[in-house]
């Protein structure tokens, strides 16, 4: 995506920098693949498995991580329609390739079966054009669109539908001032980190809108170990510790269209090496310098990784000990067309009620789960302005980095928000009032009582 700058490392589906050619080992004959014991191992890419596998075993090992994540968490089933978020970077390119490989195998099994009882899941690809709010040369964006189109069209059947969507489409399609509102909204955020995070939230809204409008029921992001490790530290620095477990799981179903991270166990170095070995096309858009908390943390984690290739994995494993939320799983499958083995596997790996945290309240802006201390009393909302209610229902991180502090600017910020955000705020407010009424139901007089 247009946010593929060197520094930006938030947990969106942006990817690492385009892969560089690895340095060959000075004595390749001394490094034999530990798996097949036949071929020379590839080395020079700097990953934890550097110099351990030959090219074929390396490909098989990386795809095995992807497939295990997909099958263990029931990310993709035969009846699904999957949307892959593609930014042009290595991670989303590998995610697209692996999803395509799975679909191709499913199609071959379907063609070879007699009863053809299991359908083949559908796949679509989406690219969000962020040139409306980022300084991207028009020629560069046109070239990126051509590359994306060629990549998708070059994949073998089944065909994949490609959606190239401007980010201003988060506003209503019949709204003529969507781009103007978007520029005003992002421009009103003075903090650079807050502006970068605001772009992340808008990007997610755009992805969700495309998925919902075209009937997709899964959204695949290319987040890998390296990106998640950076997010763990940056979220901690920004005071998002309570909601952190929600962002680093294999599945995030708090959104209308569940988000899945099949590359969660793969390293950026491995992904770059895979792109090099298979000659996969990647690109990076020029977005200028990026001086934010996210970029500083990204540089810090990169230095740690250079010192010890297992540092990123250690960070993610440590954060993985945090208790996830109940929405960090795919809802139980009841479709008879889904194989029994898949349903049993999902039941085995799915979170148990005692192993997860329930959260019924979310930040109206970033959709992060709210701690009890952040939830405000809605009983006095009748006499308050909509913008004030919205402000009070957002998380502390959004208060500090994104939302304006004065009421006049907050009112304008609220008016410039996309309709989907305003609708969610209205639903949340109605839900809070209903919950309050349930809590005091025993104290209310009925219509027949004096």
């Amino acid at each position: 995506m247009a946010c593929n700058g060197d520094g930006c490392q938030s947990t969106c589906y942006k990817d690492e920098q385009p892969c560089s050619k690895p340095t060959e080992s000075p004595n390749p004959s001394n490094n034999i693949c530990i798996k097949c014991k036949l071929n020379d191992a590839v080395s020079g890419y700097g990953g934890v498995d550097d110099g351990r596998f030959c090219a074929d075993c390396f490909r098989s090992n990386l795809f095995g991580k992807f497939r295990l994540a997909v099958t263990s968490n029931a990310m993709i089933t035969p009846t699904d329609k999957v949307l892959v978020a593609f930014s042009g970077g290595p991670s989303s390119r590998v995610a697209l390739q692996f999803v395509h490989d799975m679909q191709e195998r499913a199609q071959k099994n379907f063609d070879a079966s007699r009863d053809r009882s299991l359908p083949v899941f559908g796949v679509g690809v989406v690219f969000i054009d962020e040139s409306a709010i980022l300084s991207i040369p028009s020629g560069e964006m046109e070239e990126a669109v051509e590359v994306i189109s060629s990549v998708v069209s070059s994949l073998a059947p089944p065909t994949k539908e490609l959606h190239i969507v401007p980010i201003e489409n988060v506003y209503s399609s019949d709204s003529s001032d969507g781009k103007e509102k978007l520029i005003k909204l992002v421009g009103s955020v003075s903090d650079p980190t807050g502006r970068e995070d605001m772009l992340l939230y808008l990007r997610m809204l755009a992805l969700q809108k495309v998925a919902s409008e075209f009937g997709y029921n899964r959204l695949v992001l290319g987040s890998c170990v390296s990106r998640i490790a950076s997010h763990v530290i940056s979220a901690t620095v920004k005071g998002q510790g309570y909601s952190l477990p929600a962002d680093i799981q294999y599945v995030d179903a708090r959104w209308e269209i569940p988000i899945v991270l099949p590359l969660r166990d793969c390293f950026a170095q491995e992904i770059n090496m895979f792109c090099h070995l298979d000659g996969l096309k990647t690109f990076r858009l020029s977005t200028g310098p990026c001086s934010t908390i996210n970029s500083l943390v990204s540089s810090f984690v990169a230095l740690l990784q250079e010192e010890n290739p297992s540092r990123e994995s250690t960070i993610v494993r440590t954060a993985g000990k945090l208790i996830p939320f109940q929405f960090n799983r795919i809802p139980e499958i009841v479709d008879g067309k889904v194989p029994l083995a898949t349903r049993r596997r999902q039941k085995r790996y799915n979170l148990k009620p005692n192993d997860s945290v329930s959260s019924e309240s979310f930040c109206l802006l970033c959709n992060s789960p709210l701690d009890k201390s952040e939830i405000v009393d809605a009983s006095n909302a009748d006499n308050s302005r909509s913008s004030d209610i919205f402000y009070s229902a957002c998380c502390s991180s959004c208060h500090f980095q994104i939302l304006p502090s004065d009421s006049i600017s907050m009112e304008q910020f609220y008016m410039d928000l996309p309709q989907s955000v305003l609708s969610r705020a209205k639903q949340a407010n109605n839900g809070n009032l209903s919950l309050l009424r349930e809590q005091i139901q025993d104290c209310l007089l009925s219509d027949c009582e004096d």
Side-chain angles (χ1 to χ4, degrees):
M1 206 56 40
C3 193
N4 276 352
D6 294 343
C8 187
Q9 289 287 334
S10 41
T11 55
C12 54
Y13 71 103
K14 311 178 309 299
D15 293 295
E16 288 71 25
Q17 300 175 11
C19 49
S20 56
K21 185 176 181 179
T23 305
E24 299 295 335
S25 173
N27 297 306
S29 60
N30 296 332
N31 297 330
I32 303 299
C33 175
I34 64 172
K35 187 174 182 180
C36 68
K37 303 293 194 299
L38 296 174
N39 303 318
D40 292 338
V42 294
S43 61
Y45 59 92
V48 291
D49 292 328
D50 191 5
R52 300 183 65 193
F53 300 107
C54 65
D56 291 338
C57 293
F58 173 83
R59 293 186 183 95
S60 176
N61 181 64
L62 188 62
F63 182 76
K65 293 181 181 181
F66 169 89
R67 183 175 55 192
L68 179 62
V70 170
T71 56
S72 299
N73 298 276
M75 294 182 182
I76 302 176
T77 61
T79 57
D80 287 336
K81 190 177 180 183
V82 180
L83 181 64
V84 180
F86 184 50
S87 68
S91 290
S92 65
R93 180 64 186 91
V94 171
L96 173 60
Q97 187 64 42
F98 283 170
V99 170
H100 163 70
D101 291 343
M102 284 192 64
Q103 186 192 37
E104 191 175 30
R105 295 183 185 187
Q107 183 66 53
K108 290 180 179 178
N109 293 336
F110 177 81
D111 295 337
S113 63
R114 292 182 177 180
D115 55 0
R116 298 191 173 186
S117 58
L118 292 180
V120 179
F121 66 91
V123 177
V125 183
V126 58
F127 173 79
I128 305 299
D129 179 0
E130 300 168 5
S131 57
I133 49 180
L134 293 176
S135 301
I136 303 174
S138 58
E140 191 172 326
M141 178 57 69
E142 293 174 0
E143 182 179 352
V145 171
E146 291 179 2
V147 171
I148 294 171
S149 301
S150 65
V151 166
V152 175
S153 61
S154 64
L155 297 174
T159 58
K160 288 121 184 104
E161 187 175 0
L162 174 61
H163 312 274
I164 299 179
V165 182
I167 194 170
E168 55 265 32
N169 275 21
V170 293
Y171 293 89
S172 176
S173 57
D174 56 0
S175 176
S176 58
D177 59 346
K179 184 175 181 179
E180 181 182 347
K181 280 188 173 183
L182 178 65
I183 295 174
K184 286 175 59 180
L185 181 67
V186 177
S188 64
V189 182
S190 57
D191 182 74
T193 302
R195 194 159 48 245
E196 185 175 277
D197 290 346
M198 185 67 192
L199 177 60
L200 166 64
Y201 308 147
L202 292 170
R203 183 186 301 118
M204 181 55 65
L205 290 177
L207 291 172
Q208 287 287 322
K209 185 176 181 181
V210 173
S212 178
E213 289 180 350
F214 289 91
Y216 296 96
N217 65 336
R218 294 288 187 277
L219 178 59
V220 176
L221 304 188
S223 299
C224 60
V225 171
S226 308
R227 187 165 307 285
I228 294 174
S230 295
H231 176 68
V232 167
I233 298 181
S234 62
T236 305
V237 171
K238 291 182 284 189
Q240 299 169 349
Y242 177 78
S243 62
L244 175 60
D247 302 328
I248 61 175
Q249 309 301 323
Y250 292 97
V251 177
D252 183 357
R254 80 186 105 159
W255 302 91
E256 177 187 358
I257 309 300
I259 298 169
V260 295
L261 308 180
L263 296 181
R264 184 184 179 275
D265 298 325
C266 304
F267 292 86
Q269 296 85 357
E270 296 175 323
I271 292 172
N272 290 338
M273 184 61 176
F274 186 90
C275 290
H276 167 71
L277 291 175
D278 281 23
L280 301 181
K281 288 184 179 180
T282 61
F283 64 87
R284 182 186 65 206
L285 294 171
S286 302
T287 58
C290 187
S291 179
T292 63
I293 290 177
N294 301 323
S295 63
L296 292 174
V297 169
S298 172
S299 302
F300 173 69
V301 173
L303 289 175
L304 292 179
Q305 185 69 8
E306 289 179 4
E307 296 175 0
N308 188 338
S310 64
R311 290 288 173 85
E312 292 175 343
S313 178
T314 302
I315 294 172
V316 175
R317 285 203 314 269
T318 303
K321 298 182 182 297
L322 297 172
I323 300 177
F325 293 87
Q326 289 186 359
F327 54 75
N328 287 128
R329 59 180 177 179
I330 296 293
E332 290 290 339
I333 300 174
V334 294
D335 192 340
K337 295 182 179 180
V338 177
L340 181 60
T342 300
R343 283 180 279 170
R344 287 177 174 174
R345 189 182 298 112
Q346 183 197 24
K347 188 174 183 180
R348 175 186 175 187
Y349 285 95
N350 245 349
L351 300 173
K352 306 297 187 297
N354 295 334
D355 298 333
S356 59
V357 177
S358 175
S359 180
E360 298 177 352
S361 299
F362 298 88
C363 173
L364 296 182
L365 184 60
C366 68
N367 207 29
S368 296
L370 295 177
D371 188 13
K372 292 182 179 179
S373 61
E374 296 179 301
I375 301 176
V376 297
D377 185 5
S379 59
N380 299 323
D382 292 340
N383 299 325
S384 302
R385 293 186 301 182
S386 299
S387 58
D388 295 334
I389 299 174
F390 182 89
Y391 183 90
S392 62
C394 291
C395 65
S396 57
S397 179
C398 288
H399 285 167
F400 183 73
Q401 292 185 311
I402 297 179
L403 298 176
S405 56
D406 63 285
S407 58
I408 298 178
S409 299
M410 182 61 212
E411 180 71 21
Q412 184 60 53
F413 181 91
Y414 179 80
M415 297 297 294
D416 290 334
L417 286 170
Q419 186 59 42
S420 58
V421 178
L422 300 179
S423 299
R424 190 172 71 216
K426 185 176 180 180
Q427 292 175 0
N429 186 41
N430 292 338
N432 291 335
L433 293 177
S434 300
L435 179 62
L436 178 63
R437 183 175 181 84
E438 291 178 4
Q439 293 173 345
I440 64 174
Q441 185 67 40
D442 295 338
C443 303
L444 296 177
L445 296 175
S446 63
D447 294 337
C448 61
E449 292 178 307
D450 293 332

